[in-house]
Amino acid sequence: MSNHHEYQALDRKIFTLPFLFLSVLIAITLYILVERFIFGLGAVTNLNDGYPWGIWIVYDVVIGTGFATGGWALAMVVYIANKGKYHPLIRPALLASLFGYSLGAFSAFVDMGRYWNVYNMVLPGQININSVMLEVGLCVTAYTMILVIEFAPAVLERFKVPRLSQLLDKWLFVVLGVGVLLPTMHQSSLGSMLIAAGHKVDPLWQSVALQPYFALVTAIAMGFSIVIFEASMVTIGFKRPSETHLLKGLGKLVVYLLGAYLIVRFGDLVLRGELGRAFAGDLRGNMFLIETLLFITPLVILLSPKRRASGGQLMIAAVSLLLAGALYRANAFMIGWHPGGGYIYFPSVKEILLSIGFVAIEIAGYLAIVKLLPVLPKVDHA
């Protein structure tokens, strides 16, 4: 199942100029983390009672886990739909997902006021079984552990542990099954968190009946898009052969997902009589129109088989869809948020730097690991 022969380590220099630049951002991040854990949230954030979900939750968790769904989306295609031709893409996708979910879970921990009580999340006597946030927290934690197991074959192959590798291969189907189920639960539950917020979410993004559907479909579409984006960047950055022949098939799947999303999204707004808000000319209406344009752009590009076969067009479509999914989540959780009471929020410089630093950690870690472990598809240099 692991198909070890399909992958190779790049075996290149790790400490390049981009890696050193990322290391500087990481050092700044570590300094801010020390300050946060010593002096508290108030020392580094602009969070308040009206905006308890700042950029760390909205970007690092809600958007970040959306960007990290590549391994989940590809696992459904490779192992559930049995499309083995996409198997060469699975390890890079799993690695990106592992970083995204790990940092997303850590960001939630950083954002907790009383972080020392985090263990209560798993104590039967302390948990609130009616809490959507509890379900998200448990599922994200469990899925991060699942990703570690799913990515383990690359580590076992690198350090030549054949017996353990064979044992993992034997039971990997169970891990994969759980790995497909868990993101389906917590990605849809992110939409349910908006339902719990009720009237505080602008009607353009508040749909009590369909929030889980919107969150789930956009997450899957973002998963395919991040695989396309990542593979394209690897091709350009490491001067490897193009994988457009594989990526165009994922682009076709995105067309169906976007079509289903946009039809239901606008149908819901029309039925609720809220579509007119999009043309009010205010900030929220304009942000909704930008979000919609970003969703429609990849649909227009990917509807054409000729454009799907173009690496450049695929890249544009993937970036547009990732921005669309990110903006949809930012609009729903922050820009379209009505806290009342005169509260306002704009992230502090340290909040922004910490979010940038987490991205730097992910990129630097990815660059190092693909050079040390067999992650990328094997290339026949001959």
Side-chain angles (χ1 to χ4, degrees), residues 61-99:
V61 180
V62 179
I63 296 175
T65 58
F67 283 166
T69 53
W72 165 50
L74 209 55
M76 287 191 286
V77 172
V78 174
Y79 299 113
I80 305 301
N82 200 29
K83 301 294 183 180
K85 66 178 182 179
Y86 295 109
H87 201 283
L89 302 173
I90 195 72
R91 280 193 187 175
L94 286 173
L95 177 60
S97 293
L98 179 57
F99 272 115

Side-chain angles (χ1 to χ4, degrees), residues 82-365:
N82 200 29
K83 301 294 183 180
K85 66 178 182 179
Y86 295 109
H87 201 283
L89 302 173
I90 195 72
R91 280 193 187 175
L94 286 173
L95 177 60
S97 293
L98 179 57
F99 272 115
Y101 268 92
S102 298
L103 292 173
F106 183 66
S107 295
F109 176 71
V110 172
D111 194 73
M112 293 177 187
R114 298 179 179 180
Y115 57 87
W116 54 86
N117 288 330
V118 66
Y119 66 89
N120 285 326
M121 185 174 69
V122 296
L123 296 182
Q126 299 292 330
I127 62 176
N128 177 7
I129 60 173
N130 297 314
S131 170
V132 176
M133 197 174 293
L134 171 69
E135 191 271 338
V136 172
L138 291 176
C139 280
V140 168
T141 303
Y143 184 56
T144 303
M145 297 169 64
I146 290 293
L147 284 168
V148 171
I149 299 173
E150 288 182 334
F151 187 72
V155 180
L156 297 177
E157 180 182 343
R158 170 66 176 82
F159 293 101
K160 297 180 174 57
V161 190
R163 289 188 178 180
L164 190 55
S165 182
Q166 290 170 5
L167 179 63
L168 182 59
D169 277 352
K170 183 178 179 180
W171 293 101
L172 196 57
F173 73 96
V174 177
V175 177
L176 291 168
V178 178
V180 169
L181 175 64
L182 288 174
T184 305
M185 295 169 61
H186 66 250
Q187 288 295 339
S188 60
S189 291
L190 288 174
S192 299
M193 288 173 63
L194 291 175
I195 296 175
H199 67 277
K200 291 186 177 181
V201 179
D202 191 280
L204 283 172
W205 294 279
Q206 180 60 287
S207 177
V208 175
L210 294 169
Q211 287 290 18
Y213 169 82
F214 293 146
L216 185 61
V217 173
T218 55
I220 298 173
M222 291 173 72
F224 289 133
S225 297
I226 198 67
V227 171
I228 295 171
F229 174 80
E230 172 212 357
S232 300
M233 293 302 294
V234 166
T235 296
I236 296 168
F238 294 129
K239 297 180 173 60
R240 290 169 57 85
S242 173
E243 295 174 317
T244 303
H245 62 290
L246 293 176
L247 302 178
K248 65 182 181 181
L250 299 181
K252 189 174 182 179
L253 294 174
V254 170
V255 170
Y256 296 117
L257 289 167
L258 281 180
Y261 167 75
L262 289 171
I263 290 172
V264 177
R265 180 88 161 93
F266 278 88
D268 171 66
L269 288 171
V270 170
L271 290 174
R272 290 191 291 114
E274 302 291 355
L275 185 58
R277 288 176 172 269
F279 307 99
D282 58 3
L283 174 63
R284 293 185 175 97
N286 292 337
M287 294 302 288
F288 174 85
L289 293 176
I290 295 172
E291 170 196 315
T292 301
L293 178 62
L294 288 170
F295 273 121
I296 292 175
T297 298
L299 182 61
V300 172
I301 292 174
L302 298 174
L303 275 172
S304 168
K306 182 178 180 180
R307 286 195 287 263
R308 282 203 305 270
S310 165
Q313 293 291 312
L314 274 173
M315 181 69 159
I316 293 172
V319 171
S320 180
L321 182 48
L322 290 172
L323 291 174
L327 188 56
Y328 167 71
R329 286 157 171 75
N331 282 337
F333 280 86
M334 193 156 56
I335 296 172
W337 184 260
H338 298 279
Y343 288 104
I344 59 173
Y345 166 78
F346 191 84
S348 69
V349 172
K350 291 177 181 178
E351 284 180 88
I352 296 171
L353 286 175
L354 191 62
S355 295
I356 293 173
F358 282 157
V359 175
I361 292 172
E362 184 171 357
I363 297 174

Side-chain angles (χ1 to χ4, degrees), residues 33 35-45 47-49 52-54 56-57 106-118 120 133:
L33 283 174
E35 189 175 2
R36 179 264 175 273
F37 285 118
I38 292 177
F39 300 108
L41 285 172
V44 296
T45 78
L47 295 174
N48 54 58
D49 291 342
W53 294 338
W56 290 347
I57 294 298
F106 183 66
S107 295
F109 176 71
V110 172
D111 194 73
M112 293 177 187
R114 298 179 179 180
Y115 57 87
W116 54 86
N117 288 330
V118 66
N120 285 326
M133 197 174 293

